[in-house]
Structure formats: C-alpha cells, structure tokens
Amino acid sequence: AQKITQTQPGMFVQEKEAVTLDCTYDTSDPSYGLFWYKQPSSGEMIFLIYQGSYDQQNATEGRYSLNFQKARKSANLVISASQLGDSAMYFCAISGSGTGANSKLTFGKGITLSVRP
Amino acid sequence: DTEVTQTPKHLVMGMTNKKSLKCEQHMGHRAMYWYKQKAKKPPELMFVYSYEKLSINESVPSRFSPECPNSSLLNLHLHALQPEDSALYLCASSPAPPQLTDTQYFGPGTRLTVL
C-alpha cells in the first residue's frame, strides 16, 4: 500500500518570501508519480507540479519547484516569491502502479498555507 | 479557465430527492473520475471510468449511481442520500488508460448539502 505523509501544521509565510511544504511517501513500487495540488477555499483542485520516480532532475513549473530526494522518500514543494493568492490547502499525492491502480491517487492530509501581507 | 466543468456549483437536497451532478471535460481525455471530499480532508476516490466503461468502484453505496454517456460527459445520480453524504464532489479527467505519469485535472466541484 502507498502512503503520503504531510505533518506540518498550518504554515505561514510573508509575502514575497519562499516557503517549503514537506511531503514524505512510502511505496514498494519501483515506478510511481508524485503530484502536488493546490486547493483554495473555492474548492477547485489545481494541479501544480509532477515528478516521476525515474526523473533525474527536480521538476520546476514557474514559481514552483520540487525538491525530490528519492533515497529519503521525500518530495517537498518549494514556492518562491509567495503571493497572497498562494493562500490555500496543498495536497501531495502519489500514483499507484499495476493494472487499474495507475488511476488511483493516494493523497496526503494536506497542509494549509497562509501568506501574510 | 478550467477545462473540466461541473454543474451545479451548489446543491441542497432532501433525503427523498433525486438529483444529478454533471461533469464535462474538453481535454480529449478518456478517463474520468468522481471524488468525494469532506471539509479539511483529502479527496476520496469513488468511481473511475475508462473508455466510457466503469473500471473502479470503491465500494460506494448504491444511492450513488455513476453514468458516462460519452467520452466527455460524466454524471453522478443521487437518490435517497443521507446527511453524512454532504460534501464537495469533485470530477477529474486524465488520458486513458491511466499511466503513472498522467495528471488528473479536476473541475471546480459541486458542494452538496443533504438535509
């Protein structure tokens, strides 16, 4: 079974500063995908960034980057130059493997980020 | 603008009502999903359709009935719901058959309240 652990309590960051959101995972599958989603209070789950287990380089998407440490089974999200609109719940997720299970995403409990002006 | 749309945005229904949630995607995807999400919790997978066929049912009660009329539409028919079914219902889509690298793209959700 796969597991995502997000243990940080509510996070606070000053506008324009960088923040790191932690994610550790557990899986016995040799191949997997790691995803980060943002969910503002409106409810929509917004895809941010993806990292494949065999990717040699850390993924980056604009202000988002993923600090992927495979041996430590961690996939931390780094948001640079925080904006007020970054205030939201952030979920880390891992994709399954095997027939049918590819479609299953296992989510962590989420981290609430608040950006202070 | 999201390419996965859901209607209605809000729905209030009694326990004896019959209602439907609708989801439409314009991404050319052939896999579609229904998730249920309670407040401050992660989404929970309910159903997966791949090529318009139900491929995963996560032991969801029969009062929830999914339907995939075509490759871009997904419905969730609701009947005789309980107050504990009140939640945010999210639809998502991805390429099919789903691969480990495929991203699921979500719609804005329907907030359901069962009285």
Side-chain angles (χ1 to χ4, degrees):
Chain A
Q2 298 176 309
K3 184 178 179 182
I4 293 283
T5 301
Q6 295 180 267
T7 58
Q8 290 167 305
M11 293 285 289
F12 294 86
V13 65
Q14 205 67 30
E15 195 178 8
K16 299 180 184 177
E17 293 186 349
V19 63
T20 298
L21 306 182
D22 295 341
C23 172
T24 59
Y25 61 92
D26 190 20
T27 180
S28 56
D29 296 326
S31 299
Y32 49 89
L34 292 157
F35 303 82
W36 276 92
Y37 288 87
K38 169 186 176 181
Q39 188 174 40
S41 57
S42 60
E44 183 177 1
M45 292 282 283
I46 302 167
F47 166 69
L48 296 178
I49 196 166
Y50 161 83
Q51 180 83 44
S53 57
Y54 289 115
D55 292 343
Q56 295 296 312
Q57 292 191 319
N58 287 340
T60 61
E61 288 285 350
R63 293 187 300 111
Y64 304 106
S65 60
L66 209 151
N67 183 0
F68 180 49
Q69 299 187 43
K70 192 171 181 178
R72 298 179 63 182
K73 294 190 174 180
S74 73
N76 299 339
L77 177 70
V78 180
I79 305 175
S80 62
S82 296
Q83 302 172 355
L84 296 178
D86 294 334
S87 295
M89 177 82 85
Y90 288 80
F91 290 98
C92 179
I94 187 170
S95 57
S97 64
T99 303
N102 285 354
S103 43
K104 292 191 177 185
L105 282 179
T106 300
F107 288 88
K109 292 184 176 180
I111 302 168
T112 300
L113 175 67
S114 299
V115 180
R116 292 171 167 153
Chain B
D1 289 340
T2 181
E3 293 189 70
V4 181
T5 59
Q6 291 186 243
T7 56
K9 291 192 168 149
H10 300 275
L11 178 63
V12 179
M13 60 186 291
M15 290 190 286
T16 58
N17 292 157
K18 286 185 181 181
K19 297 287 184 182
S20 296
L21 309 185
K22 297 186 184 300
C23 174
E24 186 170 9
Q25 57 92 8
H26 304 280
M27 305 182 77
H29 290 161
R30 300 298 297 275
M32 297 186 75
Y33 310 75
W34 279 116
Y35 288 84
K36 172 183 177 180
Q37 186 180 24
K38 302 288 269 185
K40 300 192 186 301
K41 298 289 187 182
E44 299 172 5
L45 182 66
M46 301 174 72
F47 303 103
V48 181
Y49 274 82
S50 183
Y51 296 104
E52 295 87 67
K53 294 189 187 307
L54 184 65
S55 62
I56 294 177
N57 177 341
E58 292 287 72
S59 303
V60 178
S62 60
R63 58 186 184 269
F64 295 91
S65 175
E67 178 197 19
C68 190
N70 61 54
S71 60
S72 62
L73 291 175
L74 185 66
N75 298 322
L76 186 63
H77 302 297
L78 314 173
H79 174 56
L81 294 192
Q82 303 297 310
E84 59 264 29
D85 296 322
S86 298
L88 179 69
Y89 288 83
L90 292 162
C91 173
S93 72
S94 76
Q99 304 296 321
L100 293 173
T101 57
D102 289 331
T103 298
Q104 293 185 24
Y105 293 91
F106 287 79
T110 294
R111 290 193 186 275
L112 173 67
T113 303
V114 182
L115 301 176

